[in-house]
Amino acid sequence: MTKRDYCELAKKYHDTGMNCAQSLLLAYQDKTGMDEETCCGVASAFGGGVRCGGICGAITGPVMVLGMLYPHTPENGGEGKAYSAKLTKEFERRFAQQFGYMNCRELLAEKDLEPTPITKELGVTSHCGVLIVSAAELLFDMLEELEKE
């Protein structure tokens, strides 16, 4: 699938009422191997910054994808844990660089979000839609870079 395909899927899921984390985890289910029901269940409590205005679901969804693809397991021990943490921090850095904040509460208060190129192309203007589709694009770019390593 193309970057645009993932962005369109994330938008589609959000348009059907899924929260930010669900929309992103669902969009990338082909990568994680998770089915739709599992994605919905796992990410259902992460909307609204875990319902308390904390870390945005447009971050937690992609971080779940990264965790599924590059997991910390008993077999890879401390090295796996360090790599998982590194990937999480890198996605958070990219997201914060794009939007200035990571917390849902702060992002919702921000009036001038700068969408990524595909988000603009798709004409996404809703506040959370901009975050979700942009996060799908940021995640695609990061995964593409990781696959080249």
Side-chain angles (χ1 to χ4, degrees):
M1 288 200 330
T2 67
K3 185 188 314 189
R4 186 181 179 103
D5 292 335
Y6 285 104
C7 291
E8 287 174 344
L9 272 174
K11 179 186 181 308
K12 179 193 90 159
Y13 282 116
H14 185 249
D15 288 348
T16 64
M18 297 295 104
N19 71 37
C20 298
Q22 287 173 313
S23 298
L24 285 148
L25 191 56
L26 283 161
Y28 279 88
Q29 66 184 302
D30 69 314
K31 296 272 191 193
T32 66
M34 296 169 69
D35 62 48
E36 187 171 41
E37 184 178 348
T38 302
C39 288
C40 287
V42 167
S44 64
F46 287 88
V50 192
R51 300 287 173 231
C52 68
I55 298 291
C56 176
I59 295 172
T60 56
V63 167
M64 284 186 250
V65 172
L66 290 166
M68 289 294 297
L69 298 177
Y70 302 95
H72 166 221
T73 65
E75 291 79 26
N76 65 23
E79 186 176 305
K81 185 175 186 176
Y83 192 63
S84 180
K86 175 184 170 184
L87 295 180
T88 297
K89 290 297 183 190
E90 177 57 19
F91 186 82
E92 290 172 341
R93 184 195 67 74
R94 291 175 188 215
F95 189 91
Q97 182 178 8
Q98 182 72 37
F99 296 115
Y101 303 99
M102 293 192 301
N103 283 337
C104 185
R105 184 179 314 107
E106 295 164 329
L107 288 162
L108 287 173
E110 182 61 37
K111 300 300 178 209
D112 296 318
L113 297 176
E114 181 60 35
T116 55
I118 292 177
T119 305
K120 289 178 188 176
E121 286 175 25
L122 293 176
V124 177
T125 58
S126 71
H127 200 84
C128 289
V130 167
L131 297 169
I132 291 165
V133 177
S134 295
E137 189 168 351
L138 294 171
L139 179 58
F140 184 93
D141 290 343
M142 188 170 168
L143 291 174
E144 197 171 59
E145 291 166 22
L146 288 167
E147 288 170 10
K148 290 177 182 176
E149 287 182 0

PDB file of all heavy atoms in Angstrom, residues 35-68:
ATOM      1  N   ASP A  35      -6.451  -8.277  13.625  1.00  0.00           N
ATOM      2  CA  ASP A  35      -7.728  -8.132  12.926  1.00  0.00           C
ATOM      3  C   ASP A  35      -8.449  -6.879  13.435  1.00  0.00           C
ATOM      4  O   ASP A  35      -8.050  -6.261  14.412  1.00  0.00           O
ATOM      5  CB  ASP A  35      -8.594  -9.394  13.088  1.00  0.00           C
ATOM      6  CG  ASP A  35      -8.954  -9.687  14.537  1.00  0.00           C
ATOM      7  OD1 ASP A  35      -9.395  -8.772  15.265  1.00  0.00           O
ATOM      8  OD2 ASP A  35      -8.808 -10.850  14.944  1.00  0.00           O
ATOM      9  N   GLU A  36      -9.510  -6.525  12.731  1.00  0.00           N
ATOM     10  CA  GLU A  36     -10.230  -5.291  13.035  1.00  0.00           C
ATOM     11  C   GLU A  36     -10.768  -5.267  14.466  1.00  0.00           C
ATOM     12  O   GLU A  36     -10.637  -4.266  15.172  1.00  0.00           O
ATOM     13  CB  GLU A  36     -11.378  -5.102  12.034  1.00  0.00           C
ATOM     14  CG  GLU A  36     -12.066  -3.767  12.160  1.00  0.00           C
ATOM     15  CD  GLU A  36     -13.049  -3.521  11.030  1.00  0.00           C
ATOM     16  OE1 GLU A  36     -13.777  -4.457  10.637  1.00  0.00           O
ATOM     17  OE2 GLU A  36     -13.086  -2.379  10.557  1.00  0.00           O
ATOM     18  N   GLU A  37     -11.350  -6.370  14.906  1.00  0.00           N
ATOM     19  CA  GLU A  37     -11.915  -6.427  16.260  1.00  0.00           C
ATOM     20  C   GLU A  37     -10.835  -6.224  17.324  1.00  0.00           C
ATOM     21  O   GLU A  37     -11.028  -5.501  18.293  1.00  0.00           O
ATOM     22  CB  GLU A  37     -12.636  -7.757  16.476  1.00  0.00           C
ATOM     23  CG  GLU A  37     -13.325  -7.848  17.811  1.00  0.00           C
ATOM     24  CD  GLU A  37     -14.084  -9.162  17.983  1.00  0.00           C
ATOM     25  OE1 GLU A  37     -14.268  -9.904  17.004  1.00  0.00           O
ATOM     26  OE2 GLU A  37     -14.489  -9.422  19.135  1.00  0.00           O
ATOM     27  N   THR A  38      -9.684  -6.855  17.129  1.00  0.00           N
ATOM     28  CA  THR A  38      -8.582  -6.713  18.081  1.00  0.00           C
ATOM     29  C   THR A  38      -8.061  -5.281  18.103  1.00  0.00           C
ATOM     30  O   THR A  38      -7.846  -4.705  19.171  1.00  0.00           O
ATOM     31  CB  THR A  38      -7.446  -7.701  17.755  1.00  0.00           C
ATOM     32  OG1 THR A  38      -7.977  -9.030  17.781  1.00  0.00           O
ATOM     33  CG2 THR A  38      -6.309  -7.592  18.757  1.00  0.00           C
ATOM     34  N   CYS A  39      -7.890  -4.696  16.919  1.00  0.00           N
ATOM     35  CA  CYS A  39      -7.437  -3.297  16.854  1.00  0.00           C
ATOM     36  C   CYS A  39      -8.402  -2.379  17.596  1.00  0.00           C
ATOM     37  O   CYS A  39      -7.971  -1.518  18.370  1.00  0.00           O
ATOM     38  CB  CYS A  39      -7.327  -2.839  15.402  1.00  0.00           C
ATOM     39  SG  CYS A  39      -5.960  -3.547  14.492  1.00  0.00           S
ATOM     40  N   CYS A  40      -9.680  -2.558  17.330  1.00  0.00           N
ATOM     41  CA  CYS A  40     -10.683  -1.714  17.991  1.00  0.00           C
ATOM     42  C   CYS A  40     -10.634  -1.869  19.503  1.00  0.00           C
ATOM     43  O   CYS A  40     -10.674  -0.876  20.237  1.00  0.00           O
ATOM     44  CB  CYS A  40     -12.082  -2.049  17.480  1.00  0.00           C
ATOM     45  SG  CYS A  40     -12.399  -1.477  15.809  1.00  0.00           S
ATOM     46  N   GLY A  41     -10.527  -3.108  19.956  1.00  0.00           N
ATOM     47  CA  GLY A  41     -10.496  -3.355  21.394  1.00  0.00           C
ATOM     48  C   GLY A  41      -9.253  -2.821  22.068  1.00  0.00           C
ATOM     49  O   GLY A  41      -9.327  -2.127  23.091  1.00  0.00           O
ATOM     50  N   VAL A  42      -8.095  -3.117  21.497  1.00  0.00           N
ATOM     51  CA  VAL A  42      -6.826  -2.694  22.095  1.00  0.00           C
ATOM     52  C   VAL A  42      -6.743  -1.175  22.205  1.00  0.00           C
ATOM     53  O   VAL A  42      -6.289  -0.642  23.208  1.00  0.00           O
ATOM     54  CB  VAL A  42      -5.633  -3.251  21.279  1.00  0.00           C
ATOM     55  CG1 VAL A  42      -4.331  -2.596  21.671  1.00  0.00           C
ATOM     56  CG2 VAL A  42      -5.536  -4.760  21.446  1.00  0.00           C
ATOM     57  N   ALA A  43      -7.195  -0.476  21.175  1.00  0.00           N
ATOM     58  CA  ALA A  43      -7.036   0.979  21.140  1.00  0.00           C
ATOM     59  C   ALA A  43      -8.250   1.754  21.652  1.00  0.00           C
ATOM     60  O   ALA A  43      -8.210   2.976  21.722  1.00  0.00           O
ATOM     61  CB  ALA A  43      -6.701   1.416  19.718  1.00  0.00           C
ATOM     62  N   SER A  44      -9.302   1.059  22.056  1.00  0.00           N
ATOM     63  CA  SER A  44     -10.549   1.755  22.401  1.00  0.00           C
ATOM     64  C   SER A  44     -10.414   2.721  23.579  1.00  0.00           C
ATOM     65  O   SER A  44     -11.087   3.746  23.608  1.00  0.00           O
ATOM     66  CB  SER A  44     -11.673   0.751  22.672  1.00  0.00           C
ATOM     67  OG  SER A  44     -11.367  -0.039  23.795  1.00  0.00           O
ATOM     68  N   ALA A  45      -9.564   2.439  24.515  1.00  0.00           N
ATOM     69  CA  ALA A  45      -9.435   3.298  25.701  1.00  0.00           C
ATOM     70  C   ALA A  45      -8.430   4.426  25.537  1.00  0.00           C
ATOM     71  O   ALA A  45      -8.239   5.218  26.456  1.00  0.00           O
ATOM     72  CB  ALA A  45      -9.052   2.441  26.904  1.00  0.00           C
ATOM     73  N   PHE A  46      -7.799   4.529  24.362  1.00  0.00           N
ATOM     74  CA  PHE A  46      -6.732   5.513  24.192  1.00  0.00           C
ATOM     75  C   PHE A  46      -7.205   6.842  23.613  1.00  0.00           C
ATOM     76  O   PHE A  46      -6.421   7.771  23.483  1.00  0.00           O
ATOM     77  CB  PHE A  46      -5.604   4.927  23.332  1.00  0.00           C
ATOM     78  CG  PHE A  46      -4.805   3.900  24.076  1.00  0.00           C
ATOM     79  CD1 PHE A  46      -5.185   2.576  24.066  1.00  0.00           C
ATOM     80  CD2 PHE A  46      -3.683   4.274  24.792  1.00  0.00           C
ATOM     81  CE1 PHE A  46      -4.458   1.621  24.760  1.00  0.00           C
ATOM     82  CE2 PHE A  46      -2.950   3.331  25.489  1.00  0.00           C
ATOM     83  CZ  PHE A  46      -3.331   2.001  25.483  1.00  0.00           C
ATOM     84  N   GLY A  47      -8.474   6.955  23.248  1.00  0.00           N
ATOM     85  CA  GLY A  47      -8.989   8.211  22.721  1.00  0.00           C
ATOM     86  C   GLY A  47      -9.016   9.284  23.795  1.00  0.00           C
ATOM     87  O   GLY A  47      -9.083   9.009  24.994  1.00  0.00           O
ATOM     88  N   GLY A  48      -8.962  10.527  23.349  1.00  0.00           N
ATOM     89  CA  GLY A  48      -9.008  11.649  24.296  1.00  0.00           C
ATOM     90  C   GLY A  48      -7.806  11.689  25.205  1.00  0.00           C
ATOM     91  O   GLY A  48      -7.901  12.180  26.334  1.00  0.00           O
ATOM     92  N   GLY A  49      -6.666  11.183  24.722  1.00  0.00           N
ATOM     93  CA  GLY A  49      -5.473  11.162  25.575  1.00  0.00           C
ATOM     94  C   GLY A  49      -5.688  10.266  26.780  1.00  0.00           C
ATOM     95  O   GLY A  49      -5.512  10.664  27.918  1.00  0.00           O
ATOM     96  N   VAL A  50      -6.128   9.043  26.516  1.00  0.00           N
ATOM     97  CA  VAL A  50      -6.504   8.048  27.530  1.00  0.00           C
ATOM     98  C   VAL A  50      -7.592   8.643  28.440  1.00  0.00           C
ATOM     99  O   VAL A  50      -7.589   8.477  29.643  1.00  0.00           O
ATOM    100  CB  VAL A  50      -5.284   7.519  28.331  1.00  0.00           C
ATOM    101  CG1 VAL A  50      -5.655   6.287  29.155  1.00  0.00           C
ATOM    102  CG2 VAL A  50      -4.122   7.167  27.414  1.00  0.00           C
ATOM    103  N   ARG A  51      -8.473   9.382  27.782  1.00  0.00           N
ATOM    104  CA  ARG A  51      -9.656   9.984  28.424  1.00  0.00           C
ATOM    105  C   ARG A  51      -9.330  10.991  29.517  1.00  0.00           C
ATOM    106  O   ARG A  51     -10.177  11.310  30.333  1.00  0.00           O
ATOM    107  CB  ARG A  51     -10.591   8.908  28.970  1.00  0.00           C
ATOM    108  CG  ARG A  51     -11.102   7.970  27.924  1.00  0.00           C
ATOM    109  CD  ARG A  51     -12.128   8.666  27.051  1.00  0.00           C
ATOM    110  NE  ARG A  51     -12.490   7.784  25.942  1.00  0.00           N
ATOM    111  CZ  ARG A  51     -12.472   8.169  24.677  1.00  0.00           C
ATOM    112  NH1 ARG A  51     -12.130   9.385  24.355  1.00  0.00           N
ATOM    113  NH2 ARG A  51     -12.810   7.332  23.736  1.00  0.00           N
ATOM    114  N   CYS A  52      -8.094  11.487  29.517  1.00  0.00           N
ATOM    115  CA  CYS A  52      -7.737  12.488  30.531  1.00  0.00           C
ATOM    116  C   CYS A  52      -6.914  13.634  29.942  1.00  0.00           C
ATOM    117  O   CYS A  52      -6.297  14.398  30.675  1.00  0.00           O
ATOM    118  CB  CYS A  52      -7.002  11.836  31.701  1.00  0.00           C
ATOM    119  SG  CYS A  52      -5.368  11.202  31.273  1.00  0.00           S
ATOM    120  N   GLY A  53      -6.898  13.728  28.607  1.00  0.00           N
ATOM    121  CA  GLY A  53      -6.162  14.804  27.964  1.00  0.00           C
ATOM    122  C   GLY A  53      -4.671  14.569  27.870  1.00  0.00           C
ATOM    123  O   GLY A  53      -3.924  15.476  27.539  1.00  0.00           O
ATOM    124  N   GLY A  54      -4.227  13.334  28.155  1.00  0.00           N
ATOM    125  CA  GLY A  54      -2.801  12.994  28.093  1.00  0.00           C
ATOM    126  C   GLY A  54      -2.326  12.794  26.661  1.00  0.00           C
ATOM    127  O   GLY A  54      -2.827  13.426  25.731  1.00  0.00           O
ATOM    128  N   ILE A  55      -1.365  11.909  26.489  1.00  0.00           N
ATOM    129  CA  ILE A  55      -0.766  11.684  25.175  1.00  0.00           C
ATOM    130  C   ILE A  55      -1.847  11.379  24.141  1.00  0.00           C
ATOM    131  O   ILE A  55      -2.678  10.497  24.325  1.00  0.00           O
ATOM    132  CB  ILE A  55       0.265  10.533  25.217  1.00  0.00           C
ATOM    133  CG1 ILE A  55       1.423  10.860  26.147  1.00  0.00           C
ATOM    134  CG2 ILE A  55       0.781  10.191  23.820  1.00  0.00           C
ATOM    135  CD1 ILE A  55       2.331  11.964  25.660  1.00  0.00           C
ATOM    136  N   CYS A  56      -1.814  12.128  23.040  1.00  0.00           N
ATOM    137  CA  CYS A  56      -2.801  12.028  21.969  1.00  0.00           C
ATOM    138  C   CYS A  56      -2.828  10.624  21.368  1.00  0.00           C
ATOM    139  O   CYS A  56      -1.788   9.990  21.187  1.00  0.00           O
ATOM    140  CB  CYS A  56      -2.436  13.067  20.898  1.00  0.00           C
ATOM    141  SG  CYS A  56      -3.489  13.027  19.437  1.00  0.00           S
ATOM    142  N   GLY A  57      -4.031  10.165  21.039  1.00  0.00           N
ATOM    143  CA  GLY A  57      -4.189   8.873  20.381  1.00  0.00           C
ATOM    144  C   GLY A  57      -3.519   8.810  19.025  1.00  0.00           C
ATOM    145  O   GLY A  57      -3.211   7.733  18.532  1.00  0.00           O
ATOM    146  N   ALA A  58      -3.275   9.972  18.407  1.00  0.00           N
ATOM    147  CA  ALA A  58      -2.548   9.995  17.138  1.00  0.00           C
ATOM    148  C   ALA A  58      -1.066   9.694  17.351  1.00  0.00           C
ATOM    149  O   ALA A  58      -0.331   9.514  16.395  1.00  0.00           O
ATOM    150  CB  ALA A  58      -2.722  11.352  16.448  1.00  0.00           C
ATOM    151  N   ILE A  59      -0.651   9.618  18.601  1.00  0.00           N
ATOM    152  CA  ILE A  59       0.690   9.145  18.954  1.00  0.00           C
ATOM    153  C   ILE A  59       0.605   7.711  19.461  1.00  0.00           C
ATOM    154  O   ILE A  59       1.376   6.854  19.036  1.00  0.00           O
ATOM    155  CB  ILE A  59       1.349  10.043  20.022  1.00  0.00           C
ATOM    156  CG1 ILE A  59       1.583  11.442  19.463  1.00  0.00           C
ATOM    157  CG2 ILE A  59       2.668   9.432  20.518  1.00  0.00           C
ATOM    158  CD1 ILE A  59       2.054  12.451  20.489  1.00  0.00           C
ATOM    159  N   THR A  60      -0.343   7.422  20.342  1.00  0.00           N
ATOM    160  CA  THR A  60      -0.394   6.076  20.924  1.00  0.00           C
ATOM    161  C   THR A  60      -0.707   5.010  19.884  1.00  0.00           C
ATOM    162  O   THR A  60      -0.169   3.901  19.959  1.00  0.00           O
ATOM    163  CB  THR A  60      -1.392   5.992  22.098  1.00  0.00           C
ATOM    164  OG1 THR A  60      -2.691   6.416  21.664  1.00  0.00           O
ATOM    165  CG2 THR A  60      -0.932   6.839  23.270  1.00  0.00           C
ATOM    166  N   GLY A  61      -1.541   5.324  18.897  1.00  0.00           N
ATOM    167  CA  GLY A  61      -1.823   4.353  17.831  1.00  0.00           C
ATOM    168  C   GLY A  61      -0.567   3.965  17.066  1.00  0.00           C
ATOM    169  O   GLY A  61      -0.233   2.780  16.966  1.00  0.00           O
ATOM    170  N   PRO A  62       0.175   4.943  16.530  1.00  0.00           N
ATOM    171  CA  PRO A  62       1.420   4.605  15.839  1.00  0.00           C
ATOM    172  C   PRO A  62       2.458   3.922  16.737  1.00  0.00           C
ATOM    173  O   PRO A  62       3.172   3.029  16.285  1.00  0.00           O
ATOM    174  CB  PRO A  62       1.931   5.978  15.358  1.00  0.00           C
ATOM    175  CG  PRO A  62       0.677   6.757  15.145  1.00  0.00           C
ATOM    176  CD  PRO A  62      -0.219   6.336  16.279  1.00  0.00           C
ATOM    177  N   VAL A  63       2.509   4.311  18.003  1.00  0.00           N
ATOM    178  CA  VAL A  63       3.454   3.668  18.913  1.00  0.00           C
ATOM    179  C   VAL A  63       3.074   2.201  19.108  1.00  0.00           C
ATOM    180  O   VAL A  63       3.941   1.333  19.194  1.00  0.00           O
ATOM    181  CB  VAL A  63       3.545   4.443  20.247  1.00  0.00           C
ATOM    182  CG1 VAL A  63       4.255   3.648  21.316  1.00  0.00           C
ATOM    183  CG2 VAL A  63       4.250   5.780  20.020  1.00  0.00           C
ATOM    184  N   MET A  64       1.774   1.902  19.115  1.00  0.00           N
ATOM    185  CA  MET A  64       1.349   0.500  19.192  1.00  0.00           C
ATOM    186  C   MET A  64       1.803  -0.264  17.942  1.00  0.00           C
ATOM    187  O   MET A  64       2.252  -1.406  18.042  1.00  0.00           O
ATOM    188  CB  MET A  64      -0.167   0.401  19.349  1.00  0.00           C
ATOM    189  CG  MET A  64      -0.650   0.734  20.737  1.00  0.00           C
ATOM    190  SD  MET A  64      -2.426   0.421  20.898  1.00  0.00           S
ATOM    191  CE  MET A  64      -3.023   2.090  21.002  1.00  0.00           C
ATOM    192  N   VAL A  65       1.681   0.374  16.785  1.00  0.00           N
ATOM    193  CA  VAL A  65       2.138  -0.260  15.536  1.00  0.00           C
ATOM    194  C   VAL A  65       3.637  -0.532  15.628  1.00  0.00           C
ATOM    195  O   VAL A  65       4.097  -1.646  15.328  1.00  0.00           O
ATOM    196  CB  VAL A  65       1.814   0.620  14.310  1.00  0.00           C
ATOM    197  CG1 VAL A  65       2.467   0.053  13.051  1.00  0.00           C
ATOM    198  CG2 VAL A  65       0.303   0.750  14.118  1.00  0.00           C
ATOM    199  N   LEU A  66       4.393   0.453  16.049  1.00  0.00           N
ATOM    200  CA  LEU A  66       5.845   0.267  16.185  1.00  0.00           C
ATOM    201  C   LEU A  66       6.165  -0.860  17.170  1.00  0.00           C
ATOM    202  O   LEU A  66       7.058  -1.671  16.926  1.00  0.00           O
ATOM    203  CB  LEU A  66       6.509   1.573  16.620  1.00  0.00           C
ATOM    204  CG  LEU A  66       6.531   2.671  15.564  1.00  0.00           C
ATOM    205  CD1 LEU A  66       6.892   4.014  16.201  1.00  0.00           C
ATOM    206  CD2 LEU A  66       7.492   2.323  14.443  1.00  0.00           C
ATOM    207  N   GLY A  67       5.426  -0.912  18.268  1.00  0.00           N
ATOM    208  CA  GLY A  67       5.638  -1.971  19.250  1.00  0.00           C
ATOM    209  C   GLY A  67       5.344  -3.357  18.699  1.00  0.00           C
ATOM    210  O   GLY A  67       6.042  -4.324  19.010  1.00  0.00           O
ATOM    211  N   MET A  68       4.322  -3.455  17.865  1.00  0.00           N
ATOM    212  CA  MET A  68       4.006  -4.750  17.249  1.00  0.00           C
ATOM    213  C   MET A  68       5.082  -5.170  16.253  1.00  0.00           C
ATOM    214  O   MET A  68       5.413  -6.341  16.149  1.00  0.00           O
ATOM    215  CB  MET A  68       2.649  -4.679  16.542  1.00  0.00           C
ATOM    216  CG  MET A  68       1.462  -4.609  17.479  1.00  0.00           C
ATOM    217  SD  MET A  68       1.237  -6.099  18.464  1.00  0.00           S
ATOM    218  CE  MET A  68       0.912  -7.314  17.206  1.00  0.00           C
TER     219      MET A  68
END
